[in-house]
Amino acid sequence: MWLKVGNFVWFQTVWWLIILFQNNAILPVVALIGVWLVLSPQRAADIKLMSIMFVIGTVVDGLLTYDGLFNFTEQNALIPFWPIPIWLSLLWVAFSGTVHHSMEAFKGRYALCAVGGAIFAPLSYIAGARFDAVELGASYIVSYAIIAAVWSVVFPLCFYISSKLLKTQLTPNIQGESTYD
């Protein structure tokens, strides 16, 4: 139980650091991701999912940025060729670090994932806009609808990928029970 609560607090800390400080939060956020990976009982699955969602999230938000839904006002991009600010890619990494832990209740419930993603993810982006981390290229209603449509697919996809990663990690022990490597 403490691990789920700790994971939730960890993610909220990362989210607030990123939203409030963007580029200035990168080193503390990377450190917090490292701390989580040290503490995680499912380190290998977390690392794999974080790596995959780093790419998927960068592509998804990169496409939304290219399409004009997201506008970033940061003057100094840390990685000029990167399609979105690196802090946003790191937020995807941290988000995926919650899948096996504090968001475990969504596991295997893809319809619930779709609804949850459609409702809550747009609120996160809109909150980011309210704190000037991003400018939305459309009204809140249009932005909400587009982000909801995207996250109604992305959120269940994240859990689908995580289920496949966990299946590859399960190995039978001497008693025939499945355990994590």
PDB file of all heavy atoms in Angstrom, residues 15-16 18-20 22 71-72 87-88 91 121-136 140:
ATOM      1  N   TRP A  15       5.121  16.007 -11.700  1.00  0.00           N
ATOM      2  CA  TRP A  15       4.207  16.821 -12.504  1.00  0.00           C
ATOM      3  C   TRP A  15       4.322  18.293 -12.127  1.00  0.00           C
ATOM      4  O   TRP A  15       4.458  19.154 -12.990  1.00  0.00           O
ATOM      5  CB  TRP A  15       2.755  16.331 -12.326  1.00  0.00           C
ATOM      6  CG  TRP A  15       1.798  16.963 -13.289  1.00  0.00           C
ATOM      7  CD1 TRP A  15       1.464  16.496 -14.516  1.00  0.00           C
ATOM      8  CD2 TRP A  15       1.052  18.190 -13.104  1.00  0.00           C
ATOM      9  NE1 TRP A  15       0.557  17.350 -15.111  1.00  0.00           N
ATOM     10  CE2 TRP A  15       0.294  18.392 -14.270  1.00  0.00           C
ATOM     11  CE3 TRP A  15       0.961  19.111 -12.078  1.00  0.00           C
ATOM     12  CZ2 TRP A  15      -0.554  19.482 -14.429  1.00  0.00           C
ATOM     13  CZ3 TRP A  15       0.116  20.209 -12.236  1.00  0.00           C
ATOM     14  CH2 TRP A  15      -0.626  20.378 -13.411  1.00  0.00           C
ATOM     15  N   TRP A  16       4.271  18.588 -10.828  1.00  0.00           N
ATOM     16  CA  TRP A  16       4.346  19.988 -10.388  1.00  0.00           C
ATOM     17  C   TRP A  16       5.692  20.617 -10.724  1.00  0.00           C
ATOM     18  O   TRP A  16       5.754  21.773 -11.156  1.00  0.00           O
ATOM     19  CB  TRP A  16       4.041  20.109  -8.897  1.00  0.00           C
ATOM     20  CG  TRP A  16       2.572  20.083  -8.626  1.00  0.00           C
ATOM     21  CD1 TRP A  16       1.846  19.059  -8.092  1.00  0.00           C
ATOM     22  CD2 TRP A  16       1.632  21.126  -8.912  1.00  0.00           C
ATOM     23  NE1 TRP A  16       0.519  19.399  -8.025  1.00  0.00           N
ATOM     24  CE2 TRP A  16       0.357  20.666  -8.512  1.00  0.00           C
ATOM     25  CE3 TRP A  16       1.735  22.404  -9.458  1.00  0.00           C
ATOM     26  CZ2 TRP A  16      -0.787  21.429  -8.653  1.00  0.00           C
ATOM     27  CZ3 TRP A  16       0.585  23.173  -9.588  1.00  0.00           C
ATOM     28  CH2 TRP A  16      -0.652  22.690  -9.192  1.00  0.00           C
ATOM     29  N   ILE A  18       7.653  19.882 -13.214  1.00  0.00           N
ATOM     30  CA  ILE A  18       7.698  20.118 -14.651  1.00  0.00           C
ATOM     31  C   ILE A  18       6.793  21.274 -15.047  1.00  0.00           C
ATOM     32  O   ILE A  18       7.201  22.148 -15.817  1.00  0.00           O
ATOM     33  CB  ILE A  18       7.352  18.827 -15.415  1.00  0.00           C
ATOM     34  CG1 ILE A  18       8.539  17.865 -15.341  1.00  0.00           C
ATOM     35  CG2 ILE A  18       6.969  19.125 -16.855  1.00  0.00           C
ATOM     36  CD1 ILE A  18       8.298  16.509 -15.930  1.00  0.00           C
ATOM     37  N   ILE A  19       5.593  21.299 -14.557  1.00  0.00           N
ATOM     38  CA  ILE A  19       4.645  22.344 -14.941  1.00  0.00           C
ATOM     39  C   ILE A  19       5.116  23.720 -14.469  1.00  0.00           C
ATOM     40  O   ILE A  19       5.014  24.710 -15.192  1.00  0.00           O
ATOM     41  CB  ILE A  19       3.237  22.022 -14.403  1.00  0.00           C
ATOM     42  CG1 ILE A  19       2.700  20.748 -15.058  1.00  0.00           C
ATOM     43  CG2 ILE A  19       2.276  23.193 -14.618  1.00  0.00           C
ATOM     44  CD1 ILE A  19       2.738  20.731 -16.579  1.00  0.00           C
ATOM     45  N   LEU A  20       5.658  23.790 -13.276  1.00  0.00           N
ATOM     46  CA  LEU A  20       6.072  25.085 -12.735  1.00  0.00           C
ATOM     47  C   LEU A  20       7.429  25.568 -13.247  1.00  0.00           C
ATOM     48  O   LEU A  20       7.644  26.768 -13.393  1.00  0.00           O
ATOM     49  CB  LEU A  20       6.086  25.040 -11.203  1.00  0.00           C
ATOM     50  CG  LEU A  20       4.724  24.840 -10.533  1.00  0.00           C
ATOM     51  CD1 LEU A  20       4.891  24.722  -9.030  1.00  0.00           C
ATOM     52  CD2 LEU A  20       3.760  25.972 -10.895  1.00  0.00           C
ATOM     53  N   GLN A  22       9.521  23.801 -15.934  1.00  0.00           N
ATOM     54  CA  GLN A  22       9.893  23.288 -17.256  1.00  0.00           C
ATOM     55  C   GLN A  22      11.380  22.901 -17.343  1.00  0.00           C
ATOM     56  O   GLN A  22      11.793  21.970 -16.680  1.00  0.00           O
ATOM     57  CB  GLN A  22       9.513  24.268 -18.361  1.00  0.00           C
ATOM     58  CG  GLN A  22       8.035  24.449 -18.562  1.00  0.00           C
ATOM     59  CD  GLN A  22       7.512  25.666 -17.841  1.00  0.00           C
ATOM     60  OE1 GLN A  22       8.102  26.734 -17.887  1.00  0.00           O
ATOM     61  NE2 GLN A  22       6.389  25.514 -17.178  1.00  0.00           N
ATOM     62  N   ASN A  71       1.550  24.914 -28.305  1.00  0.00           N
ATOM     63  CA  ASN A  71       2.598  25.884 -28.622  1.00  0.00           C
ATOM     64  C   ASN A  71       3.423  26.077 -27.363  1.00  0.00           C
ATOM     65  O   ASN A  71       2.877  26.349 -26.297  1.00  0.00           O
ATOM     66  CB  ASN A  71       1.993  27.235 -29.048  1.00  0.00           C
ATOM     67  CG  ASN A  71       1.158  27.090 -30.298  1.00  0.00           C
ATOM     68  OD1 ASN A  71       1.640  26.659 -31.330  1.00  0.00           O
ATOM     69  ND2 ASN A  71      -0.110  27.447 -30.188  1.00  0.00           N
ATOM     70  N   PHE A  72       4.724  25.914 -27.516  1.00  0.00           N
ATOM     71  CA  PHE A  72       5.617  26.063 -26.379  1.00  0.00           C
ATOM     72  C   PHE A  72       6.403  27.351 -26.522  1.00  0.00           C
ATOM     73  O   PHE A  72       6.943  27.640 -27.579  1.00  0.00           O
ATOM     74  CB  PHE A  72       6.546  24.852 -26.271  1.00  0.00           C
ATOM     75  CG  PHE A  72       5.786  23.585 -26.040  1.00  0.00           C
ATOM     76  CD1 PHE A  72       5.466  22.746 -27.091  1.00  0.00           C
ATOM     77  CD2 PHE A  72       5.342  23.255 -24.766  1.00  0.00           C
ATOM     78  CE1 PHE A  72       4.733  21.588 -26.880  1.00  0.00           C
ATOM     79  CE2 PHE A  72       4.606  22.105 -24.548  1.00  0.00           C
ATOM     80  CZ  PHE A  72       4.313  21.271 -25.606  1.00  0.00           C
ATOM     81  N   TRP A  87      11.284  18.271 -21.272  1.00  0.00           N
ATOM     82  CA  TRP A  87      10.572  18.085 -20.004  1.00  0.00           C
ATOM     83  C   TRP A  87       9.226  17.410 -20.222  1.00  0.00           C
ATOM     84  O   TRP A  87       8.761  16.659 -19.365  1.00  0.00           O
ATOM     85  CB  TRP A  87      10.421  19.394 -19.231  1.00  0.00           C
ATOM     86  CG  TRP A  87       9.822  20.550 -19.969  1.00  0.00           C
ATOM     87  CD1 TRP A  87      10.497  21.580 -20.571  1.00  0.00           C
ATOM     88  CD2 TRP A  87       8.431  20.812 -20.183  1.00  0.00           C
ATOM     89  NE1 TRP A  87       9.610  22.456 -21.149  1.00  0.00           N
ATOM     90  CE2 TRP A  87       8.334  22.011 -20.921  1.00  0.00           C
ATOM     91  CE3 TRP A  87       7.259  20.154 -19.813  1.00  0.00           C
ATOM     92  CZ2 TRP A  87       7.120  22.566 -21.305  1.00  0.00           C
ATOM     93  CZ3 TRP A  87       6.044  20.705 -20.197  1.00  0.00           C
ATOM     94  CH2 TRP A  87       5.982  21.901 -20.926  1.00  0.00           C
ATOM     95  N   LEU A  88       8.601  17.634 -21.381  1.00  0.00           N
ATOM     96  CA  LEU A  88       7.319  16.976 -21.655  1.00  0.00           C
ATOM     97  C   LEU A  88       7.535  15.491 -21.940  1.00  0.00           C
ATOM     98  O   LEU A  88       6.752  14.644 -21.508  1.00  0.00           O
ATOM     99  CB  LEU A  88       6.599  17.669 -22.816  1.00  0.00           C
ATOM    100  CG  LEU A  88       5.178  17.199 -23.118  1.00  0.00           C
ATOM    101  CD1 LEU A  88       4.288  17.242 -21.883  1.00  0.00           C
ATOM    102  CD2 LEU A  88       4.584  18.057 -24.230  1.00  0.00           C
ATOM    103  N   LEU A  91       7.891  13.892 -18.704  1.00  0.00           N
ATOM    104  CA  LEU A  91       6.595  13.716 -18.039  1.00  0.00           C
ATOM    105  C   LEU A  91       5.936  12.412 -18.490  1.00  0.00           C
ATOM    106  O   LEU A  91       5.321  11.709 -17.691  1.00  0.00           O
ATOM    107  CB  LEU A  91       5.691  14.913 -18.305  1.00  0.00           C
ATOM    108  CG  LEU A  91       4.386  14.971 -17.509  1.00  0.00           C
ATOM    109  CD1 LEU A  91       4.639  14.900 -16.011  1.00  0.00           C
ATOM    110  CD2 LEU A  91       3.629  16.243 -17.852  1.00  0.00           C
ATOM    111  N   ALA A 121      -6.861  13.201 -18.777  1.00  0.00           N
ATOM    112  CA  ALA A 121      -5.671  13.705 -19.476  1.00  0.00           C
ATOM    113  C   ALA A 121      -5.869  15.128 -19.999  1.00  0.00           C
ATOM    114  O   ALA A 121      -4.978  15.968 -19.818  1.00  0.00           O
ATOM    115  CB  ALA A 121      -5.261  12.754 -20.592  1.00  0.00           C
ATOM    116  N   PRO A 122      -7.000  15.440 -20.617  1.00  0.00           N
ATOM    117  CA  PRO A 122      -7.171  16.824 -21.073  1.00  0.00           C
ATOM    118  C   PRO A 122      -7.115  17.835 -19.926  1.00  0.00           C
ATOM    119  O   PRO A 122      -6.608  18.949 -20.101  1.00  0.00           O
ATOM    120  CB  PRO A 122      -8.565  16.825 -21.720  1.00  0.00           C
ATOM    121  CG  PRO A 122      -8.814  15.410 -22.096  1.00  0.00           C
ATOM    122  CD  PRO A 122      -8.121  14.595 -21.045  1.00  0.00           C
ATOM    123  N   LEU A 123      -7.602  17.445 -18.764  1.00  0.00           N
ATOM    124  CA  LEU A 123      -7.541  18.348 -17.614  1.00  0.00           C
ATOM    125  C   LEU A 123      -6.095  18.648 -17.226  1.00  0.00           C
ATOM    126  O   LEU A 123      -5.769  19.769 -16.832  1.00  0.00           O
ATOM    127  CB  LEU A 123      -8.299  17.749 -16.428  1.00  0.00           C
ATOM    128  CG  LEU A 123      -9.798  17.576 -16.620  1.00  0.00           C
ATOM    129  CD1 LEU A 123     -10.412  16.864 -15.419  1.00  0.00           C
ATOM    130  CD2 LEU A 123     -10.479  18.915 -16.870  1.00  0.00           C
ATOM    131  N   SER A 124      -5.229  17.650 -17.358  1.00  0.00           N
ATOM    132  CA  SER A 124      -3.819  17.848 -17.050  1.00  0.00           C
ATOM    133  C   SER A 124      -3.179  18.844 -18.020  1.00  0.00           C
ATOM    134  O   SER A 124      -2.437  19.741 -17.612  1.00  0.00           O
ATOM    135  CB  SER A 124      -3.091  16.505 -17.101  1.00  0.00           C
ATOM    136  OG  SER A 124      -1.736  16.674 -16.788  1.00  0.00           O
ATOM    137  N   TYR A 125      -3.470  18.692 -19.305  1.00  0.00           N
ATOM    138  CA  TYR A 125      -2.921  19.619 -20.301  1.00  0.00           C
ATOM    139  C   TYR A 125      -3.489  21.025 -20.114  1.00  0.00           C
ATOM    140  O   TYR A 125      -2.762  22.012 -20.241  1.00  0.00           O
ATOM    141  CB  TYR A 125      -3.232  19.130 -21.715  1.00  0.00           C
ATOM    142  CG  TYR A 125      -2.375  17.985 -22.172  1.00  0.00           C
ATOM    143  CD1 TYR A 125      -2.740  16.663 -21.913  1.00  0.00           C
ATOM    144  CD2 TYR A 125      -1.194  18.203 -22.873  1.00  0.00           C
ATOM    145  CE1 TYR A 125      -1.970  15.605 -22.336  1.00  0.00           C
ATOM    146  CE2 TYR A 125      -0.415  17.148 -23.301  1.00  0.00           C
ATOM    147  CZ  TYR A 125      -0.801  15.845 -23.032  1.00  0.00           C
ATOM    148  OH  TYR A 125      -0.032  14.794 -23.451  1.00  0.00           O
ATOM    149  N   ILE A 126      -4.764  21.114 -19.815  1.00  0.00           N
ATOM    150  CA  ILE A 126      -5.380  22.429 -19.600  1.00  0.00           C
ATOM    151  C   ILE A 126      -4.794  23.081 -18.348  1.00  0.00           C
ATOM    152  O   ILE A 126      -4.519  24.287 -18.341  1.00  0.00           O
ATOM    153  CB  ILE A 126      -6.915  22.304 -19.552  1.00  0.00           C
ATOM    154  CG1 ILE A 126      -7.439  21.986 -20.966  1.00  0.00           C
ATOM    155  CG2 ILE A 126      -7.554  23.575 -18.997  1.00  0.00           C
ATOM    156  CD1 ILE A 126      -8.891  21.595 -21.033  1.00  0.00           C
ATOM    157  N   ALA A 127      -4.551  22.291 -17.309  1.00  0.00           N
ATOM    158  CA  ALA A 127      -3.886  22.836 -16.119  1.00  0.00           C
ATOM    159  C   ALA A 127      -2.489  23.332 -16.482  1.00  0.00           C
ATOM    160  O   ALA A 127      -2.073  24.405 -16.027  1.00  0.00           O
ATOM    161  CB  ALA A 127      -3.811  21.774 -15.020  1.00  0.00           C
ATOM    162  N   GLY A 128      -1.780  22.565 -17.308  1.00  0.00           N
ATOM    163  CA  GLY A 128      -0.465  23.010 -17.772  1.00  0.00           C
ATOM    164  C   GLY A 128      -0.547  24.333 -18.511  1.00  0.00           C
ATOM    165  O   GLY A 128       0.314  25.204 -18.362  1.00  0.00           O
ATOM    166  N   ALA A 129      -1.601  24.511 -19.289  1.00  0.00           N
ATOM    167  CA  ALA A 129      -1.803  25.779 -20.010  1.00  0.00           C
ATOM    168  C   ALA A 129      -2.096  26.912 -19.029  1.00  0.00           C
ATOM    169  O   ALA A 129      -1.611  28.031 -19.204  1.00  0.00           O
ATOM    170  CB  ALA A 129      -2.932  25.636 -21.022  1.00  0.00           C
ATOM    171  N   ARG A 130      -2.861  26.614 -18.005  1.00  0.00           N
ATOM    172  CA  ARG A 130      -3.191  27.644 -17.007  1.00  0.00           C
ATOM    173  C   ARG A 130      -1.949  28.101 -16.238  1.00  0.00           C
ATOM    174  O   ARG A 130      -1.901  29.220 -15.753  1.00  0.00           O
ATOM    175  CB  ARG A 130      -4.251  27.126 -16.027  1.00  0.00           C
ATOM    176  CG  ARG A 130      -5.591  26.766 -16.645  1.00  0.00           C
ATOM    177  CD  ARG A 130      -6.339  27.959 -17.164  1.00  0.00           C
ATOM    178  NE  ARG A 130      -6.606  28.919 -16.130  1.00  0.00           N
ATOM    179  CZ  ARG A 130      -7.774  29.376 -15.800  1.00  0.00           C
ATOM    180  NH1 ARG A 130      -8.837  28.949 -16.438  1.00  0.00           N
ATOM    181  NH2 ARG A 130      -7.905  30.268 -14.849  1.00  0.00           N
ATOM    182  N   PHE A 131      -0.946  27.205 -16.133  1.00  0.00           N
ATOM    183  CA  PHE A 131       0.312  27.549 -15.462  1.00  0.00           C
ATOM    184  C   PHE A 131       1.392  27.989 -16.459  1.00  0.00           C
ATOM    185  O   PHE A 131       2.564  28.052 -16.121  1.00  0.00           O
ATOM    186  CB  PHE A 131       0.817  26.364 -14.624  1.00  0.00           C
ATOM    187  CG  PHE A 131       0.091  26.203 -13.329  1.00  0.00           C
ATOM    188  CD1 PHE A 131      -0.925  25.269 -13.203  1.00  0.00           C
ATOM    189  CD2 PHE A 131       0.419  26.992 -12.231  1.00  0.00           C
ATOM    190  CE1 PHE A 131      -1.602  25.120 -11.996  1.00  0.00           C
ATOM    191  CE2 PHE A 131      -0.252  26.843 -11.025  1.00  0.00           C
ATOM    192  CZ  PHE A 131      -1.264  25.912 -10.908  1.00  0.00           C
ATOM    193  N   ASP A 132       0.982  28.256 -17.701  1.00  0.00           N
ATOM    194  CA  ASP A 132       1.867  28.764 -18.751  1.00  0.00           C
ATOM    195  C   ASP A 132       2.985  27.812 -19.173  1.00  0.00           C
ATOM    196  O   ASP A 132       4.017  28.244 -19.671  1.00  0.00           O
ATOM    197  CB  ASP A 132       2.471  30.124 -18.358  1.00  0.00           C
ATOM    198  CG  ASP A 132       1.408  31.193 -18.231  1.00  0.00           C
ATOM    199  OD1 ASP A 132       0.439  31.153 -19.007  1.00  0.00           O
ATOM    200  OD2 ASP A 132       1.559  32.066 -17.354  1.00  0.00           O
ATOM    201  N   ALA A 133       2.795  26.523 -18.976  1.00  0.00           N
ATOM    202  CA  ALA A 133       3.778  25.554 -19.462  1.00  0.00           C
ATOM    203  C   ALA A 133       3.578  25.299 -20.955  1.00  0.00           C
ATOM    204  O   ALA A 133       4.515  24.912 -21.654  1.00  0.00           O
ATOM    205  CB  ALA A 133       3.663  24.240 -18.690  1.00  0.00           C
ATOM    206  N   VAL A 134       2.366  25.525 -21.437  1.00  0.00           N
ATOM    207  CA  VAL A 134       2.020  25.317 -22.842  1.00  0.00           C
ATOM    208  C   VAL A 134       0.913  26.304 -23.196  1.00  0.00           C
ATOM    209  O   VAL A 134       0.130  26.696 -22.328  1.00  0.00           O
ATOM    210  CB  VAL A 134       1.564  23.858 -23.090  1.00  0.00           C
ATOM    211  CG1 VAL A 134       0.314  23.525 -22.299  1.00  0.00           C
ATOM    212  CG2 VAL A 134       1.359  23.572 -24.564  1.00  0.00           C
ATOM    213  N   GLU A 135       0.884  26.697 -24.444  1.00  0.00           N
ATOM    214  CA  GLU A 135      -0.246  27.474 -24.946  1.00  0.00           C
ATOM    215  C   GLU A 135      -1.059  26.546 -25.837  1.00  0.00           C
ATOM    216  O   GLU A 135      -0.496  25.808 -26.657  1.00  0.00           O
ATOM    217  CB  GLU A 135       0.237  28.669 -25.772  1.00  0.00           C
ATOM    218  CG  GLU A 135       0.888  29.750 -24.964  1.00  0.00           C
ATOM    219  CD  GLU A 135       1.363  30.914 -25.830  1.00  0.00           C
ATOM    220  OE1 GLU A 135       1.017  30.963 -27.035  1.00  0.00           O
ATOM    221  OE2 GLU A 135       2.092  31.754 -25.304  1.00  0.00           O
ATOM    222  N   LEU A 136      -2.355  26.577 -25.668  1.00  0.00           N
ATOM    223  CA  LEU A 136      -3.224  25.754 -26.504  1.00  0.00           C
ATOM    224  C   LEU A 136      -3.574  26.539 -27.760  1.00  0.00           C
ATOM    225  O   LEU A 136      -3.912  27.719 -27.687  1.00  0.00           O
ATOM    226  CB  LEU A 136      -4.487  25.366 -25.734  1.00  0.00           C
ATOM    227  CG  LEU A 136      -4.234  24.537 -24.475  1.00  0.00           C
ATOM    228  CD1 LEU A 136      -5.528  24.328 -23.714  1.00  0.00           C
ATOM    229  CD2 LEU A 136      -3.575  23.216 -24.813  1.00  0.00           C
ATOM    230  N   TYR A 140     -10.431  25.986 -25.144  1.00  0.00           N
ATOM    231  CA  TYR A 140     -10.374  24.901 -24.169  1.00  0.00           C
ATOM    232  C   TYR A 140     -11.275  23.739 -24.573  1.00  0.00           C
ATOM    233  O   TYR A 140     -10.905  22.573 -24.424  1.00  0.00           O
ATOM    234  CB  TYR A 140     -10.769  25.385 -22.771  1.00  0.00           C
ATOM    235  CG  TYR A 140      -9.694  26.174 -22.060  1.00  0.00           C
ATOM    236  CD1 TYR A 140     -10.024  27.247 -21.263  1.00  0.00           C
ATOM    237  CD2 TYR A 140      -8.350  25.835 -22.172  1.00  0.00           C
ATOM    238  CE1 TYR A 140      -9.045  27.973 -20.589  1.00  0.00           C
ATOM    239  CE2 TYR A 140      -7.370  26.545 -21.518  1.00  0.00           C
ATOM    240  CZ  TYR A 140      -7.719  27.615 -20.727  1.00  0.00           C
ATOM    241  OH  TYR A 140      -6.745  28.317 -20.068  1.00  0.00           O
TER     242      TYR A 140
END
